[in-house]
Amino acid sequence: MQKYKVLWFGVLFVVMMIGGCSTQASRASYNLAQEADSFNVVRQVTVINCFTMDTLFQMTGKLSITKDNSDNQLEVVIEDEYGRYQKGIIGLNDFVTYTVNDLQVTNVENYKYTINYNPKMWMPIEFETID
């Protein structure tokens, strides 16, 4: 009987450890999402063409990002210095995907963001390097 009690407590301990990690990770994910939606986190959105494996553009700043599955689009909300909000929409399809990374930088202004387009996607010009 003593052997079964030890086994029972061992199983209970493992279940509690697994459940505790899941709860802590869920709480951390929720808190990070709330901070990002309050424009307190610097994020970088990278949009990728999976067919050509090229980056279409990157957007960096304090952004709130929402994925709208019904329209298959990504909505990016930016707050300006006057407390007004701007919304950008990124269309997604079978060949276009995105990644979002939270950046640990401190030298970003509250109401500034940058968009870097891949010039190869807009102007099909080949450059030659002359030595």
Side-chain angles (χ1 to χ4, degrees):
M1 188 67 170
Q2 181 70 5
K3 186 195 292 187
Y4 292 116
K5 284 184 180 179
V6 171
L7 180 63
W8 174 250
F9 283 120
V11 170
L12 183 64
F13 178 74
V14 170
V15 169
M16 287 176 54
M17 291 300 291
I18 292 171
C21 293
S22 173
T23 303
Q24 187 176 6
S26 298
R27 190 175 327 125
S29 177
Y30 176 80
N31 290 341
L32 287 171
Q34 292 300 315
E35 284 293 308
D37 287 340
S38 299
F39 305 102
N40 294 326
V41 177
V42 178
R43 290 177 146 182
Q44 183 177 53
V45 179
T46 304
V47 180
I48 303 165
N49 182 334
C50 295
F51 187 70
T52 62
M53 299 308 291
D54 285 326
T55 299
L56 299 176
F57 69 90
Q58 284 185 326
M59 183 179 220
T60 306
K62 294 187 176 181
L63 316 167
S64 175
I65 301 162
T66 306
K67 170 84 166 66
D68 186 356
N69 290 326
S70 63
D71 292 335
N72 203 22
Q73 63 189 21
L74 189 67
E75 298 175 354
V76 181
V77 178
I78 304 132
E79 182 182 17
D80 67 13
E81 62 267 19
Y82 303 109
R84 297 178 301 204
Y85 297 94
Q86 300 175 14
K87 181 176 175 181
I89 298 175
I90 301 167
L92 305 173
N93 60 33
D94 293 339
F95 299 112
V96 176
T97 189
Y98 68 96
T99 63
V100 177
N101 297 326
D102 292 347
L103 303 178
Q104 300 296 323
V105 294
T106 57
N107 59 347
V108 174
E109 293 183 34
N110 281 341
Y111 306 108
K112 299 291 182 182
Y113 65 94
T114 60
I115 299 177
N116 296 313
Y117 290 98
N118 185 351
K120 189 167 65 171
M121 297 292 110
W122 301 99
M123 299 179 294
I125 298 172
E126 291 187 25
F127 295 98
E128 292 183 25
T129 305
I130 300 173
D131 291 327

